[in-house]
Amino acid sequence: MHRRTLLAAALAPLAAHGHEPSARQAGLQPAGESLFKVWGFEVYVARLWVAPGFRAADFAAAPLALELAYRRAFSGADIARRSLTEMRRQENFDDTQAARWESQLTALLPDVRAGESLSGLHRPGEGAEFLRGDGRSLGVLRDARFSKLFFGIWLSPRTSEPALRRALLGPFAEAG
């Protein structure tokens, strides 16, 4: 529980760079960040924090935190639906599993407005926790496979956005 508390504190509003020292105290270090655009429209700024010993080739083996600071409004249901589409780029899974994960993710994710952020904490072998920009937990999806595929949206070599992946991995991109 102590580790969870420290990591949750590290994720509390990471959009403000003044909170970066908290992430370091929790044992996470900044890796990289990038503005994600689609057809010229700014969608979000993504920021990645990783644990010591992180290797890009085995990104799912270590704790990490990913923050998305939204530049546009989206419904939680739309975020969940798009996430499942991107997760399928990593690995094929059946429609029953997709429906279960989409339902669980939709229940966890709130609608967001421009200027709001959501963070995800990957817990290797356990699942993913989602947090509001103020650090309050939205809930946990206890499924290691889900968590690996979800964070693979940004970190897997099979991502639909390889430039975003390279920017997020920063100095770790070449190492893995």
Side-chain angles (χ1 to χ4, degrees):
M1 189 63 143
H2 180 63
R3 185 179 116 217
R4 177 177 178 230
T5 303
L6 286 174
L7 289 172
L11 295 173
L14 293 173
H17 287 289
H19 292 278
E20 197 171 294
S22 295
R24 285 194 181 123
Q25 290 171 357
L28 298 177
Q29 57 191 359
E33 70 177 70
S34 184
L35 173 62
F36 177 60
K37 294 181 182 182
V38 175
W39 298 315
F41 294 102
E42 295 182 356
V43 179
Y44 54 72
V45 173
R47 294 182 182 94
L48 178 68
W49 285 263
V50 298
F54 176 83
R55 293 182 328 112
D58 196 16
F59 70 88
L64 59 87
L66 179 74
E67 179 208 18
L68 302 180
Y70 288 91
R71 300 288 179 101
R72 309 181 78 70
F74 293 98
S75 73
D78 285 343
I79 295 169
R81 192 170 18 265
R82 180 63 186 188
S83 296
L84 267 289
T85 298
E86 292 296 319
M87 287 166 64
R88 279 197 154 142
R89 293 180 65 87
Q90 317 313 309
E91 177 182 306
N92 194 24
F93 44 87
D94 64 45
D95 291 340
T96 302
Q97 183 63 69
R100 185 170 32 256
W101 283 340
E102 185 175 341
S103 174
Q104 291 171 318
L105 198 52
T106 298
L108 289 174
L109 298 179
D111 297 343
V112 294
R113 294 180 301 207
E116 293 181 327
S117 63
L118 298 176
S119 297
L121 172 61
H122 169 66
R123 296 187 199 156
E126 295 178 33
E129 180 172 12
F130 295 91
L131 299 104
R132 293 182 182 276
D134 63 6
R136 288 183 297 147
S137 180
L138 293 164
V140 177
L141 206 157
R142 287 177 172 64
D143 186 320
R145 182 176 175 215
F146 167 86
S147 192
K148 178 183 178 185
L149 295 174
F150 179 82
F151 289 98
I153 293 170
W154 297 272
L155 303 177
S156 168
R158 293 183 174 185
T159 183
S160 63
E161 299 296 330
L164 178 62
R165 177 183 185 263
R166 282 189 300 277
L168 286 174
L169 292 172
F172 302 97
E174 294 177 7

